[in-house]
């Protein structure tokens, strides 16, 4: 027979149907999909996110579900030498039958299942059936058989997205279904199993690469491998083998993170041919860069920072959770919006948190294109796990599948074993809580060490080239109550929020790399409208309480609000002030982290996004609406930032320090002007100074001694306003208030606006307007929740349609 190219045929597009295992009635199903989304599609259940419907839908996870389709195989397809059925994601415990023959027992949501089916496939009609066991019931049975209780409940016994069992920001929807594509693959003689590369040398003149092709050959003989326009002849044996081919790029363009340069990418086509016949092809997109995680002992402890292309980079970003409770609802458009939000907010890193899922290819490709580095957790969080051989073997295969899939992405900066498991064992009192014997404790901890310090790193060593193999066993390395957590490794600081410490504590608790910290803020009123009737939009309604998953979330917000703000009685105003409170927390934290550079070299807040409409720590709500915090984070992550600090002793404020952070590649000269202005616009004091900002450093620009600080009588109605203007005329500004917002003597102010053109809006106020919130449907603003100085003309860029603006500020509430 003639040589034909291999091809894939998606079976997701066939007519699928599903039913409860005990039923005889089939209903229409979508693949990829889940039982929950298919029940909703058929209108058998109400919207899972509305009101308190979540409670009524818990029966779904306890059922067994069956999915089935029929498909026709053509004569041409039957004539191929090799036929494979590939499931890219089965959720989770499933038996797969092809023409009534059992061909797979799947037990891991995160694995790819490839099955040779040439002996079972028929020309004409074929039947494919997938039977899903209840993951939660299976897990509970496994937990009951365990000699000891493991922290993390039943979810630790199944390899499934942990957050689906409920988290303190997400609902409990334990899904089942074919959650990724299913396809048939037809091929002849040989196919490419996987392609990867190592970067042997990179400088301004040359990049020397080795392209590694893993090939499955059914027909031994002479073949050729073609990489772009370069071809090499190889002799292949029957079976799986690896071919390594050198490849050189002259005058390479490097890949840079967002804000430091272009994220340049190179496209590669890797083909296997027999004579001139193309048998198989894989495409690669490569970014040429070097990344090092630097941990060096010094007088202050031990550093923890990333060097990209030889340059120290302060990592600015967020923790990222799955953007959907039902993952199959996710769209490319939503991924794009999430990554664009990160880019617009001046981020350069996202941490894919270990309680969710390994993200879709689209997520990593967008990060590659936009220069967003990824800290990639493996999917283990806040729990301990079994150590039996079946579990370990399953995890090793999962890690292999995911690393092979993700390793070529230039965005991957770090592989991390788990989230908070080391800290949980050492700090959270698990051993006492579960009353472990000494023998049980030893077994559990040995299982932990085997998985995260031996097995996972060994899989990485076998697959990932040396220059890309950066592994960190657990985040954080030391719990937040320990002094060492601020002097070495990465730190999750939760003294603010969980510990109820004041927001100002962020300025004192600064570690080497802050990989988690955060504060809750309520979503936009429009988001509340998506799950609650107008009469239910209050803190005591079942609908609103159901969309706050932290057990004391609203009480915690209330306590902090009382400390810093006057507490509104109207719900709409309460939502607004809660957003200001969250933004204030992030401002204090991020500015403390960045101004401590190079001691601190990373600030990843908890959390960027939501998986459903909810009050949570997110800065971007489920529908993609920016909270006040997102605008503040964008400002606090600007490449050039003025930080004004009040230094206190036992007698109160004793100095004010003005620091300027400059992340740019070059030094910058300019003028700093600092003015004291009252809320009606009178200038009470001014100083001007010429300074030079150091590149990639913090410059101490100005210090005001105790004698220069204004009289305390002025503190309630004055603002210290700093402006740095460089030699190109570019301005960077900052405001400093001497007291908490609730103590400010805000006066009535008249805010006016005008549209300068179709994408510029001008705002001004007669007196200081604090936290001006501009609302207009269909308008995307570059900035919002801003302070307007008296008679200042503030220009804000926008996209979208001009409309009537609704404007509110804190002055209106006081």
């Amino acid at each position: 027979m003639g040589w034909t190219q291999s091809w894939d045929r998606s079976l997701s597009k066939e007519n699928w149907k599903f039913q409860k295992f005990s039923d005889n009635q089939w209903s229409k199903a979508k693949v990829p999909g889940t039982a929950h989304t298919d029940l909703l599609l058929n209108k058998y259940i109400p919207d899972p996110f509305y009101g308190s419907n979540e409670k009524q839908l818990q029966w779904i996870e306890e059922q067994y579900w069956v999915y089935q389709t029929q498909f026709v195989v053509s004569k041409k397809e039957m004539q191929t030498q090799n036929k494979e059925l590939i499931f890219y994601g089965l959720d989770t415990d499933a038996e797969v039958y092809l023409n009534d023959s059992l061909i797979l027992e799947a037990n891991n949501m995160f694995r790819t299942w490839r099955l040779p089916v040439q002996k079972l496939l028929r020309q004409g009609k074929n039947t494919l059936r997938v039977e899903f066991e209840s993951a939660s019931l299976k897990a509970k049975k496994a937990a009951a058989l365990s000699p000891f209780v493991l922290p993390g409940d039943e979810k630790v016994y199944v390899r499934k997205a942990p957050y689906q069992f409920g988290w303190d920001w997400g609902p409990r929807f334990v899904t089942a279904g074919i959650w990724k594509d299913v396809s048939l693959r037809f091929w002849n003689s040989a196919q490419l199993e996987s392609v990867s590369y190592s970067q042997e040398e990179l400088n301004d003149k040359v990049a020397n690469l080795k392209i590694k092709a893993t090939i499955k050959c059914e027909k031994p003989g002479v073949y050729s491998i073609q990489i772009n326009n370069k071809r090499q002849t190889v002799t292949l044996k029957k079976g799986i083998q690896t071919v390594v081919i050198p490849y050189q790029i002259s005058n390479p363009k490097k890949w840079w993170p967002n804000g430091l340069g272009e994220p340049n990418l190179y496209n590669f086509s890797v083909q296997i041919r027999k004579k001139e016949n193309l048998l198989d092809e894989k495409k690669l997109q490569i970014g040429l860069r070097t990344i090092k995680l630097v941990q060096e002992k010094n007088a202050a402890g031990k550093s923890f920072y990333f060097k990209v292309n030889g340059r120290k980079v302060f990592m600015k970003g967020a923790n990222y959770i799955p953007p959907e409770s039902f993952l199959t609802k996710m769209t490319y458009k939503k991924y794009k919006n999430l990554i664009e939000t990160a880019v617009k907010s001046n981020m350069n890193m996202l941490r894919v948190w270990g309680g969710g899922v390994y993200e879709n290819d689209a997520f990593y490709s967008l990060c590659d294109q936009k220069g967003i580095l990824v800290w990639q957790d493996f999917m283990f969080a806040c729990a301990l796990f079994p150590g039996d051989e079946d579990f370990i073997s399953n995890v090793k295969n999962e890690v292999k599948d995911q690393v092979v899939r993700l390793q070529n992405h230039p965005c991957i900066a770090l592989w991390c074993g788990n989230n908070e498991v080391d800290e949980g064992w050492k700090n959270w009192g698990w051993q006492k809580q579960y009353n472990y014997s000494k023998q049980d404790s030893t077994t559990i901890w040995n299982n932990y060490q085997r998985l995260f310090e031996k097995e996972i790193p060994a899989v990485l060593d076998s697959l990932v080239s040396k220059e890309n193999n950066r592994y960190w066993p657990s985040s954080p390395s030391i719990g937040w109550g320990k002094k060492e957590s601020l002097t070495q490794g990465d730190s999750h600081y939760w003294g603010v929020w969980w510990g109820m410490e004041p927001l100002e504590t962020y300025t004192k608790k600064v570690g080497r790399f802050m990989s988690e910290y955060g504060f809750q803020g309520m979503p936009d009123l429009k988001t509340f409208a998506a799950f609650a009737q107008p009469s239910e939009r209050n803190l005591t309604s079942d609908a609103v309480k159901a969309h706050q998953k932290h057990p004391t979330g609203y009480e915690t917000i209330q306590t902090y609000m009382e400390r810093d703000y006057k507490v509104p009685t109207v719900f709409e105003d309460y939502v607004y002030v809660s957003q200001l409170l969250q933004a204030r927390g992030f401002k204090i934290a991020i500015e403390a982290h960045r101004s401590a550079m190079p001691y601190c070299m990373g600030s990843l807040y908890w959390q960027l996004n939501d998986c459903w409409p909810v009050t949570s720590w997110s800065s971007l709500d489920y529908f993609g609406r920016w909270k006040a915090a997102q605008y503040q984070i964008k400002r606090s992550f600007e490449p050039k930032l003025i930080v004004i600090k009040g230094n206190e002793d036992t007698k109160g404020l004793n100095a004010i320090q003005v620091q300027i952070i400059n992340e740019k590649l070059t030094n910058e000269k300019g003028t700093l002007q600092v003015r004291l202005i009252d809320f009606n616009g009178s200038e009470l004091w001014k100083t001007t100074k010429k300074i030079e900002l150091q590149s990639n450093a913090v410059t101490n620009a100005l210090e005001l001694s105790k004698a220069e600080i204004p009289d305390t009588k002025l503190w309630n109605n004055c603002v210290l306003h700093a402006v740095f203007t460089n030699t190109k005329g570019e301005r960077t500004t900052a405001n400093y208030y001497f007291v908490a917002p609730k103590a400010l003597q805000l006066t009535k102010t008249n805010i006016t606006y005008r549209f300068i053109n179709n994408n510029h809006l001008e705002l001004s106020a007669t007196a200081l307007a604090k936290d001006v919130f501009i609302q207009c449907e269909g308008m995307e603003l570059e900035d919002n929740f801003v302070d307007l100085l008296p008679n200042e003309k503030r220009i804000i860029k926008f996209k979208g349609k001009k409309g009537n603006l609704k404007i509110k500020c804190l002055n209106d509430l006081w």
Side-chain angles (χ1 to χ4, degrees):
M1 62 177 282
W3 296 97
T4 22
Q5 185 181 352
S6 60
W7 70 90
D8 291 90
R9 171 183 159 191
S10 174
L11 294 181
S12 304
K13 295 176 179 67
E14 301 294 332
N15 290 322
W16 284 86
K17 54 188 183 178
F18 86 117
Q19 64 175 11
K20 217 169 9 163
F21 195 75
S22 52
D23 286 359
N24 288 319
Q25 185 191 345
W26 290 101
S27 299
K28 184 178 162 55
K30 261 189 177 176
V31 170
T34 68
H36 290 77
T37 51
D38 287 328
L39 288 165
L40 188 62
L41 175 76
N42 288 281
K43 300 185 176 159
Y44 295 148
I45 59 168
D47 177 357
F49 292 169
Y50 197 81
S52 48
N53 287 346
E54 177 197 354
K55 282 182 204 160
Q56 279 78 59
L57 300 178
Q58 291 308 305
W59 61 271
I60 300 168
E61 71 172 63
E62 296 188 345
Q63 309 307 311
Y64 285 40
W65 298 95
V66 186
Y67 280 75
Q68 187 168 300
T69 192
Q70 289 189 323
F71 60 94
V72 173
V73 174
S74 68
K75 185 180 177 184
K76 181 192 170 191
E77 288 169 329
M78 285 304 292
Q79 285 173 340
T80 52
Q81 293 162 4
N82 302 287
K83 301 156 196 76
E84 286 178 340
L85 178 63
I86 306 172
F87 287 95
Y88 290 96
L90 287 170
D91 177 15
T92 291
D93 292 281
E95 290 184 345
V96 177
Y97 295 86
L98 179 60
N99 297 328
D100 293 326
S101 292
L102 176 65
I103 58 169
L104 171 68
E105 293 179 68
N107 61 349
N108 190 322
M109 179 180 178
F110 306 125
R111 283 175 64 180
T112 299
W113 309 95
R114 302 174 75 108
L115 311 159
V117 290
Q118 50 260 42
K119 289 179 183 167
L120 290 171
L121 217 54
R122 306 172 188 149
Q123 189 170 325
K125 196 180 282 184
N126 292 262
T127 302
L128 181 61
R129 188 169 83 255
V130 187
E131 298 179 357
F132 289 97
E133 187 178 351
S134 160
S136 61
L137 292 184
K138 182 185 176 178
K140 281 171 184 164
K141 281 180 209 156
L145 294 171
S146 174
F148 38 69
V149 177
L150 287 172
D153 307 316
E154 77 272 17
K155 65 178 175 284
V156 305
Y157 294 94
V158 282
R159 288 310 297 146
K160 177 167 175 55
Y163 82 107
Q164 294 178 339
F165 292 81
W167 220 267
D168 57 7
W169 37 258
R172 182 179 175 114
F173 288 121
V174 183
T175 56
I178 303 168
W179 79 285
K180 287 195 169 186
D181 195 31
V182 51
S183 68
L184 281 170
R185 180 160 175 78
F186 302 96
W187 58 281
N188 290 314
S189 299
Q191 74 165 346
L192 291 163
E193 293 278 294
S194 67
V195 175
S196 64
Y197 76 100
S198 61
Q199 189 178 273
E200 304 294 305
E201 183 183 10
L202 175 64
N203 55 49
D204 291 341
K205 289 183 179 174
V206 72
N208 282 315
L209 310 176
K210 280 186 180 165
I211 310 286
K212 191 164 97 175
T214 301
I215 300 162
K216 187 174 188 178
C217 179
E218 284 294 320
K219 193 170 182 183
V222 177
Y223 294 80
S224 62
I225 307 289
Q226 185 166 320
I227 301 169
N228 291 351
N229 296 320
K230 181 183 176 179
R231 197 183 285 200
Q232 183 170 317
T233 303
V234 290
T235 302
L236 298 177
K237 306 187 292 283
K238 187 175 167 67
I240 292 174
Q241 55 231 279
T242 298
V243 175
V244 179
I245 297 169
Y247 195 94
Q248 191 173 83
I249 299 170
S250 300
N251 306 314
K253 290 179 176 175
K254 288 178 184 166
W255 184 94
W256 285 96
N258 181 37
L260 290 177
E262 291 300 311
N264 293 298
L265 294 167
Y266 286 87
N267 290 309
F268 283 80
S269 157
V270 181
Q271 299 177 343
I272 182 166
R273 291 175 176 270
K274 182 75 174 176
K275 296 182 179 165
E276 285 309 306
N277 294 304
L278 174 62
L279 301 182
D280 199 6
E281 178 181 30
K282 284 198 182 293
K283 292 191 184 300
L284 271 186
Q285 209 170 42
I286 288 175
L288 303 172
R289 85 287 184 271
T290 60
I291 302 179
K292 283 182 182 166
L293 174 60
V294 182
Q295 296 187 80
E296 293 168 341
K297 285 186 177 173
N298 53 33
K302 195 177 184 185
S303 69
F304 189 103
Y305 68 88
F306 291 89
K307 244 185 183 178
V308 184
N309 298 331
R311 178 188 164 87
K312 279 187 183 183
V313 178
F314 188 100
M315 292 301 163
K316 302 178 295 185
N319 286 263
Y320 171 97
I321 66 165
E324 289 283 355
S325 285
F326 305 112
L327 291 157
T328 55
K329 284 172 65 183
M330 196 55 192
T331 62
Y332 184 77
K333 188 180 175 186
K334 190 162 182 178
Y335 279 127
K336 210 167 169 218
N337 182 48
L338 282 160
I339 303 307
E340 280 177 357
T341 294
V343 172
K344 286 175 192 165
S345 302
N346 299 300
M347 297 183 193
N348 54 25
M349 180 175 269
L350 291 173
R351 173 178 174 236
V352 176
W353 167 75
V357 293
Y358 306 94
E359 261 304 346
N360 275 344
D361 294 343
F363 170 85
Y364 300 98
S365 294
L366 283 162
C367 289
D368 291 344
Q369 291 160 30
K370 299 293 183 181
I372 300 294
L373 289 158
V374 172
W375 170 314
Q376 178 65 55
D377 282 6
F378 290 101
M379 292 303 121
F380 302 91
C382 309
L384 282 161
F385 301 88
D388 59 276
E389 292 307 318
D390 285 349
F391 185 86
I392 296 281
S393 168
N394 196 359
V395 169
K396 282 163 71 176
N397 282 313
E398 164 193 325
V399 170
K400 183 183 175 188
D401 281 359
Q402 295 300 335
V403 171
V404 165
R405 180 173 73 95
L406 301 179
Q407 64 178 331
N408 296 319
H409 288 281
C411 65
I412 300 285
L414 187 71
W415 306 97
C416 180
N418 67 70
N419 174 74
E420 296 184 346
V421 183
D422 184 288
E423 175 184 17
W425 181 252
K426 292 171 182 170
N427 271 29
W428 296 355
W430 282 340
Q431 294 169 72
K432 195 174 175 184
Q433 182 187 340
Y434 295 101
N435 197 23
Y436 294 136
S437 67
K438 193 175 179 189
Q439 186 184 348
D440 288 348
S441 281
T442 303
T443 302
I444 291 165
W445 189 241
N446 284 347
N447 289 344
Y448 170 89
Q449 289 183 306
R450 180 183 171 190
L451 186 58
F452 297 109
E453 292 171 16
K454 183 185 167 198
E455 301 290 4
I456 291 176
V459 176
L460 280 165
D461 287 342
S462 72
L463 294 170
V464 180
S465 60
K466 200 176 174 188
E467 86 279 358
N468 269 333
N469 194 355
R470 293 166 296 279
Y471 178 71
W472 189 237
S474 186
S475 177
S477 42
I478 301 164
W480 63 264
K482 300 271 169 50
K483 189 177 67 182
E484 299 78 21
S485 71
L486 299 177
T487 62
Q488 64 189 67
D490 70 318
S491 178
H492 292 193
Y493 176 66
W494 285 106
V496 172
W497 185 267
W498 284 100
M500 299 301 288
E501 292 168 7
L503 295 178
E504 288 70 25
T505 314
Y506 280 134
T507 62
K508 301 180 186 82
K509 303 286 185 176
V510 178
R512 310 311 297 259
F513 193 105
M514 305 302 288
S515 49
E516 258 195 45
Y517 60 91
F519 199 90
Q520 280 200 357
M522 293 162 82
D524 191 280
L525 211 61
K526 292 190 213 67
T527 298
F528 279 97
F531 60 80
Q533 296 287 349
S535 61
E536 297 175 308
R537 288 172 213 162
N538 59 70
L539 294 174
T540 58
S541 77
D542 286 346
V544 169
K545 285 199 284 192
H547 289 74
Q548 162 62 278
K549 290 297 180 182
H550 188 283
T552 58
Y554 285 131
E555 293 93 318
T556 304
I557 290 171
Q558 176 79 13
T559 302
Y560 276 93
M561 199 184 284
E562 286 168 0
R563 289 178 190 172
D564 281 4
Y565 290 86
K566 294 175 185 175
V567 180
T569 52
V570 178
F571 185 68
E572 184 180 343
D573 294 338
Y574 194 92
V575 168
Y576 163 69
V577 174
S578 119
Q579 289 203 13
L580 299 184
L581 174 65
Q582 183 191 27
R584 179 173 164 80
F586 281 129
K587 179 181 193 290
I588 294 168
I590 294 169
E591 293 186 358
H593 302 159
R594 291 191 68 196
S595 61
M597 188 169 89
Y599 180 85
C600 175
M601 285 301 287
S603 185
L604 310 180
Y605 67 88
W606 184 269
Q607 66 206 60
L608 176 66
N609 59 314
D610 280 325
C611 65
W612 74 318
V614 65
T615 293
S616 80
W617 293 265
S618 75
S619 53
L620 184 76
D621 80 17
Y622 174 69
F623 296 108
R625 297 184 179 114
W626 285 35
K627 297 182 187 176
Q630 194 71 59
Y631 292 99
Q632 181 56 58
I633 288 156
K634 181 188 175 190
R635 293 190 286 266
S636 293
F637 278 158
E638 285 284 358
K640 210 157 51 197
L641 179 73
I642 299 176
V643 177
I644 307 176
K645 291 177 175 176
N647 297 326
E648 294 188 10
D649 58 19
T650 50
K651 293 178 183 173
L653 196 64
N654 66 9
I656 289 175
Q657 194 178 25
V658 181
Q659 295 176 307
I660 307 180
I661 298 148
N662 174 32
E663 285 180 356
K664 304 233 167 146
L665 298 165
T666 53
N667 290 6
E668 197 165 287
K669 289 182 178 176
T671 305
L672 174 70
Q673 184 188 72
V674 181
R675 297 189 300 149
L676 185 70
I677 309 164
D678 74 18
F679 291 171
N680 292 314
S682 298
E683 188 182 281
L684 308 175
W685 175 88
K686 181 169 85 172
T687 186
T688 305
K689 185 182 177 186
K690 286 202 176 333
I691 51 171
E692 182 173 0
L693 306 183
Q694 298 304 303
S695 161
N696 203 26
V698 181
T699 300
N700 292 322
L702 183 70
E703 186 152 327
L704 303 178
S705 67
K706 193 160 191 172
E708 295 170 287
I709 295 170
D711 192 303
T712 52
K713 292 175 190 151
L714 297 169
W715 287 6
N716 295 11
N717 61 7
C718 279
V719 57
L720 203 62
H721 179 63
V723 184
F724 174 75
T725 310
N726 69 9
T727 48
K728 292 178 188 167
E730 297 163 337
R731 286 159 50 91
T732 307
T733 66
N735 294 324
Y736 174 84
Y737 297 93
F738 296 87
V739 291
K742 71 176 180 183
L744 295 173
Q745 290 174 356
L746 298 173
T747 57
K748 189 167 171 55
T749 183
N750 183 29
I751 300 172
T752 54
Y753 71 87
R754 70 184 182 98
F755 290 104
I756 298 172
N757 51 36
N758 287 332
N759 48 16
H760 287 87
L761 166 71
E762 184 187 85
L763 293 171
S764 62
T766 51
L768 178 108
K770 188 91 182 74
D771 298 308
V772 176
F773 174 32
I774 308 157
Q775 293 166 281
C776 185
E777 204 62 54
M779 255 177 87
E780 187 190 314
L781 295 154
E782 200 176 63
D783 208 355
N784 208 341
F785 298 91
V786 296
D787 292 354
L788 285 180
L789 296 180
N791 305 313
E792 170 196 11
K793 285 183 166 45
R794 169 73 70 93
I795 293 169
I796 294 175
K797 281 187 189 172
F798 69 90
K799 283 182 189 168
K801 279 197 308 196
K802 291 191 287 192
N804 288 325
L805 306 188
K806 188 180 167 191
I807 296 178
K808 77 191 299 173
C809 64
L810 210 51
N811 306 49
D812 304 333
L813 276 59
W814 267 207

